[in-house]
Short mmCIF file of all heavy atoms in Angstrom, two decimals:
data_model
loop_
_atom_site.label_atom_id
_atom_site.label_comp_id
_atom_site.label_asym_id
_atom_site.label_seq_id
_atom_site.Cartn_x
_atom_site.Cartn_y
_atom_site.Cartn_z
N LEU T 156 11.34 -2.94 3.29
CA LEU T 156 11.73 -1.57 3.67
C LEU T 156 11.29 -0.52 2.68
O LEU T 156 10.98 -0.82 1.52
CB LEU T 156 13.27 -1.51 3.81
CG LEU T 156 13.90 -2.55 4.72
CD1 LEU T 156 15.41 -2.33 4.80
CD2 LEU T 156 13.29 -2.53 6.10
N PHE T 157 11.28 0.73 3.15
CA PHE T 157 11.13 1.87 2.25
C PHE T 157 11.96 3.02 2.82
O PHE T 157 12.39 2.98 3.98
CB PHE T 157 9.66 2.27 2.05
CG PHE T 157 9.03 2.94 3.25
CD1 PHE T 157 8.89 4.33 3.31
CD2 PHE T 157 8.55 2.19 4.32
CE1 PHE T 157 8.30 4.95 4.41
CE2 PHE T 157 7.96 2.80 5.42
CZ PHE T 157 7.83 4.18 5.46
N TYR T 158 12.19 4.03 1.99
CA TYR T 158 12.97 5.19 2.41
C TYR T 158 12.22 6.47 2.07
O TYR T 158 11.43 6.50 1.12
CB TYR T 158 14.34 5.21 1.71
CG TYR T 158 15.27 4.11 2.20
CD1 TYR T 158 15.17 2.82 1.69
CD2 TYR T 158 16.21 4.36 3.19
CE1 TYR T 158 16.00 1.80 2.15
CE2 TYR T 158 17.04 3.36 3.65
CZ TYR T 158 16.94 2.08 3.14
OH TYR T 158 17.76 1.08 3.61
N GLY T 159 12.48 7.50 2.87
CA GLY T 159 11.92 8.83 2.60
C GLY T 159 12.99 9.72 2.01
O GLY T 159 13.72 9.30 1.10
N GLU T 160 13.15 10.91 2.55
CA GLU T 160 14.16 11.84 2.00
C GLU T 160 15.57 11.52 2.47
O GLU T 160 16.54 11.86 1.80
CB GLU T 160 13.79 13.30 2.31
CG GLU T 160 13.85 13.67 3.79
CD GLU T 160 13.66 15.17 4.02
OE1 GLU T 160 12.50 15.63 4.07
OE2 GLU T 160 14.67 15.89 4.15
N LEU T 161 15.69 10.88 3.63
CA LEU T 161 17.02 10.51 4.14
C LEU T 161 17.35 9.11 3.63
O LEU T 161 16.58 8.18 3.84
CB LEU T 161 17.02 10.52 5.67
CG LEU T 161 16.51 11.80 6.34
CD1 LEU T 161 16.40 11.61 7.85
CD2 LEU T 161 17.41 12.98 6.01
N LYS T 162 18.45 8.98 2.98
CA LYS T 162 18.73 7.72 2.29
C LYS T 162 19.36 6.65 3.17
O LYS T 162 19.62 5.54 2.73
CB LYS T 162 19.60 7.99 1.04
CG LYS T 162 18.91 8.89 0.02
CD LYS T 162 17.50 8.34 -0.36
CE LYS T 162 16.68 9.37 -1.13
NZ LYS T 162 15.22 9.02 -1.12
N THR T 163 19.62 7.01 4.43
CA THR T 163 20.21 6.01 5.33
C THR T 163 19.36 5.81 6.60
O THR T 163 19.87 5.44 7.65
CB THR T 163 21.65 6.42 5.73
OG1 THR T 163 21.64 7.81 6.11
CG2 THR T 163 22.62 6.23 4.58
N ALA T 164 18.06 6.09 6.47
CA ALA T 164 17.13 5.85 7.59
C ALA T 164 16.08 4.85 7.11
O ALA T 164 14.99 5.24 6.67
CB ALA T 164 16.48 7.16 8.04
N PRO T 165 16.38 3.56 7.18
CA PRO T 165 15.47 2.55 6.65
C PRO T 165 14.18 2.47 7.48
O PRO T 165 14.23 2.54 8.71
CB PRO T 165 16.27 1.25 6.79
CG PRO T 165 17.22 1.50 7.92
CD PRO T 165 17.57 2.95 7.84
N MET T 166 13.05 2.37 6.80
CA MET T 166 11.77 2.26 7.50
C MET T 166 11.04 1.00 7.05
O MET T 166 11.35 0.43 5.99
CB MET T 166 10.94 3.52 7.25
CG MET T 166 11.56 4.76 7.92
SD MET T 166 10.64 6.30 7.64
CE MET T 166 11.18 6.72 5.98
N ILE T 167 10.10 0.57 7.87
CA ILE T 167 9.47 -0.75 7.70
C ILE T 167 8.07 -0.61 7.12
O ILE T 167 7.21 0.05 7.71
CB ILE T 167 9.42 -1.47 9.07
CG1 ILE T 167 10.84 -1.68 9.60
CG2 ILE T 167 8.66 -2.80 8.97
CD1 ILE T 167 10.91 -2.16 11.05
N LYS T 168 7.85 -1.23 5.95
CA LYS T 168 6.56 -1.09 5.28
C LYS T 168 5.38 -1.52 6.15
O LYS T 168 4.34 -0.88 6.15
CB LYS T 168 6.56 -1.93 3.99
CG LYS T 168 7.24 -1.23 2.83
CD LYS T 168 7.03 -2.01 1.53
CE LYS T 168 7.82 -1.36 0.39
NZ LYS T 168 7.88 -2.22 -0.80
N ASP T 169 5.52 -2.62 6.87
CA ASP T 169 4.40 -3.14 7.65
C ASP T 169 4.05 -2.30 8.88
O ASP T 169 2.97 -2.46 9.44
CB ASP T 169 4.68 -4.58 8.10
CG ASP T 169 4.47 -5.58 6.96
OD1 ASP T 169 3.80 -5.22 5.97
OD2 ASP T 169 4.98 -6.71 7.06
N CYS T 170 4.96 -1.45 9.34
CA CYS T 170 4.69 -0.65 10.53
C CYS T 170 3.62 0.41 10.23
O CYS T 170 3.71 1.11 9.21
CB CYS T 170 5.96 0.03 11.04
SG CYS T 170 7.04 -1.07 11.95
N PRO T 171 2.65 0.57 11.12
CA PRO T 171 1.62 1.58 10.88
C PRO T 171 2.16 3.01 10.90
O PRO T 171 1.54 3.90 10.32
CB PRO T 171 0.62 1.37 12.02
CG PRO T 171 1.18 0.34 12.92
CD PRO T 171 2.39 -0.28 12.28
N LEU T 172 3.30 3.21 11.56
CA LEU T 172 3.87 4.54 11.64
C LEU T 172 5.40 4.44 11.62
O LEU T 172 5.97 3.65 12.36
CB LEU T 172 3.44 5.23 12.94
CG LEU T 172 3.77 6.71 13.02
CD1 LEU T 172 2.78 7.53 12.20
CD2 LEU T 172 3.75 7.18 14.47
N SER T 173 6.03 5.23 10.77
CA SER T 173 7.50 5.26 10.72
C SER T 173 7.96 6.71 10.62
O SER T 173 7.40 7.49 9.84
CB SER T 173 8.01 4.50 9.50
OG SER T 173 7.68 3.13 9.58
N MET T 174 8.99 7.03 11.39
CA MET T 174 9.55 8.39 11.36
C MET T 174 10.99 8.32 10.91
O MET T 174 11.75 7.50 11.42
CB MET T 174 9.54 8.99 12.77
CG MET T 174 8.16 9.19 13.34
SD MET T 174 8.26 9.59 15.12
CE MET T 174 7.60 8.07 15.82
N GLU T 175 11.36 9.18 9.98
CA GLU T 175 12.78 9.27 9.60
C GLU T 175 13.36 10.49 10.30
O GLU T 175 12.75 11.57 10.32
CB GLU T 175 12.95 9.35 8.09
CG GLU T 175 12.18 10.46 7.42
CD GLU T 175 12.53 10.60 5.93
OE1 GLU T 175 13.57 10.08 5.50
OE2 GLU T 175 11.74 11.25 5.21
N CYS T 176 14.55 10.32 10.86
CA CYS T 176 15.12 11.35 11.73
C CYS T 176 16.56 11.68 11.36
O CYS T 176 17.34 10.80 10.99
CB CYS T 176 15.12 10.89 13.18
SG CYS T 176 13.51 10.35 13.77
N LYS T 177 16.88 12.95 11.51
CA LYS T 177 18.24 13.44 11.30
C LYS T 177 18.84 13.75 12.67
O LYS T 177 18.25 14.49 13.45
CB LYS T 177 18.18 14.72 10.45
CG LYS T 177 19.51 15.12 9.85
CD LYS T 177 19.28 16.13 8.73
CE LYS T 177 20.61 16.72 8.27
NZ LYS T 177 21.75 15.78 8.26
N LEU T 178 19.97 13.14 12.96
CA LEU T 178 20.61 13.33 14.27
C LEU T 178 20.97 14.79 14.49
O LEU T 178 21.65 15.39 13.65
CB LEU T 178 21.87 12.46 14.35
CG LEU T 178 22.64 12.46 15.68
CD1 LEU T 178 21.84 11.82 16.79
CD2 LEU T 178 23.99 11.75 15.51
N VAL T 179 20.54 15.36 15.60
CA VAL T 179 20.90 16.75 15.90
C VAL T 179 21.71 16.89 17.18
O VAL T 179 22.39 17.89 17.40
CB VAL T 179 19.67 17.70 15.97
CG1 VAL T 179 19.04 17.87 14.61
CG2 VAL T 179 18.64 17.22 16.98
N GLU T 180 21.64 15.87 18.04
CA GLU T 180 22.36 15.98 19.32
C GLU T 180 22.56 14.60 19.94
O GLU T 180 21.75 13.70 19.74
CB GLU T 180 21.54 16.87 20.28
CG GLU T 180 22.24 17.18 21.57
CD GLU T 180 22.27 18.68 21.87
OE1 GLU T 180 21.77 19.49 21.07
OE2 GLU T 180 22.82 19.02 22.93
N MET T 181 23.64 14.47 20.66
CA MET T 181 23.93 13.22 21.38
C MET T 181 24.28 13.56 22.81
O MET T 181 25.01 14.51 23.06
CB MET T 181 25.15 12.54 20.76
CG MET T 181 24.84 11.41 19.83
SD MET T 181 26.41 10.66 19.33
CE MET T 181 27.15 10.28 20.92
N VAL T 182 23.74 12.79 23.75
CA VAL T 182 24.04 13.02 25.16
C VAL T 182 24.45 11.68 25.77
O VAL T 182 23.75 10.68 25.63
CB VAL T 182 22.80 13.56 25.92
CG1 VAL T 182 23.16 13.91 27.35
CG2 VAL T 182 22.19 14.76 25.20
N GLU T 183 25.59 11.68 26.44
CA GLU T 183 26.06 10.46 27.10
C GLU T 183 25.52 10.45 28.52
O GLU T 183 25.70 11.41 29.27
CB GLU T 183 27.59 10.48 27.09
CG GLU T 183 28.21 9.11 27.26
CD GLU T 183 29.73 9.19 27.26
OE1 GLU T 183 30.29 9.84 26.36
OE2 GLU T 183 30.33 8.62 28.19
N ILE T 184 24.83 9.37 28.88
CA ILE T 184 24.29 9.25 30.23
C ILE T 184 24.70 7.89 30.77
O ILE T 184 24.08 6.87 30.42
CB ILE T 184 22.74 9.35 30.20
CG1 ILE T 184 22.29 10.73 29.76
CG2 ILE T 184 22.14 9.03 31.58
CD1 ILE T 184 22.62 11.85 30.71
N SER T 185 25.72 7.87 31.58
CA SER T 185 26.19 6.61 32.17
C SER T 185 26.46 5.60 31.04
O SER T 185 27.22 5.89 30.13
CB SER T 185 25.14 6.13 33.18
OG SER T 185 25.49 4.89 33.70
N LEU T 186 25.82 4.46 31.06
CA LEU T 186 26.11 3.42 30.07
C LEU T 186 25.25 3.55 28.82
O LEU T 186 25.21 2.65 27.98
CB LEU T 186 25.91 2.03 30.70
CG LEU T 186 26.75 1.75 31.95
CD1 LEU T 186 26.43 0.38 32.54
CD2 LEU T 186 28.25 1.85 31.64
N ASN T 187 24.53 4.66 28.70
CA ASN T 187 23.64 4.86 27.55
C ASN T 187 24.05 6.07 26.71
O ASN T 187 24.73 6.97 27.20
CB ASN T 187 22.19 5.06 28.03
CG ASN T 187 21.53 3.73 28.33
OD1 ASN T 187 22.04 2.93 29.10
ND2 ASN T 187 20.41 3.47 27.70
N GLU T 188 23.59 6.07 25.48
CA GLU T 188 23.71 7.26 24.62
C GLU T 188 22.30 7.67 24.21
O GLU T 188 21.53 6.83 23.71
CB GLU T 188 24.56 6.94 23.39
CG GLU T 188 26.04 6.85 23.74
CD GLU T 188 26.91 6.32 22.62
OE1 GLU T 188 26.48 5.37 21.90
OE2 GLU T 188 28.03 6.81 22.45
#
Side-chain angles (χ1 to χ4, degrees):
Chain T
L156 307 182
F157 72 100
Y158 290 83
E160 67 172 84
L161 307 173
K162 297 307 167 198
T163 47
M166 293 179 281
I167 298 170
K168 278 188 185 169
D169 282 342
C170 282
L172 190 78
S173 296
M174 296 169 250
E175 55 172 343
C176 306
K177 196 164 171 36
L178 183 67
V179 291
E180 186 128 358
M181 260 185 55
V182 185
E183 201 180 312
I184 294 294
S185 176
L186 303 177
N187 279 54
E188 286 171 320

